[in-house]
Amino acid sequence: MDPQLAPALKTLLVVPAGKRVPEPERLWTPPVKSTGTAMVRAMERVEEISAFGLGRVNLSSVSVNRLNTPAR
């Protein structure tokens, strides 16, 4: 695993000032509407999540259900 990945993920546990939820909750929450603006925000979320490089983590021991739930 990339040594920089753990500190980057740890920062996600902090609730930003003025916010009510930590970053993972914001990243996991899907758009409520299917408007153009909501889709732009969804694509921005995909970009943010991709920046963590989670594809480099070996998830072969994690069950499919555990991986699919956050994806929904």
Side-chain angles (χ1 to χ4, degrees), residues 10-48:
K10 189 175 180 180
T11 63
L12 289 176
L13 300 176
V14 177
V15 177
K19 302 288 183 174
R20 296 178 359 165
V21 296
E23 285 298 296
E25 179 132 0
R26 183 186 65 80
L27 295 173
W28 290 334
T29 305
V32 177
K33 299 177 182 178
S34 59
T35 63
T37 304
M39 292 301 112
V40 168
R41 284 192 207 122
M43 294 307 295
E44 289 170 349
R45 281 188 9 246
V46 168
E47 188 175 313
E48 286 182 65

Side-chain angles (χ1 to χ4, degrees), residues 1-14 23 51-52 54 56-57:
M1 181 167 77
D2 184 344
Q4 296 176 350
L5 183 58
L9 292 174
K10 189 175 180 180
T11 63
L12 289 176
L13 300 176
V14 177
E23 285 298 296
F52 287 103
L54 297 175
R56 300 175 292 191
V57 177

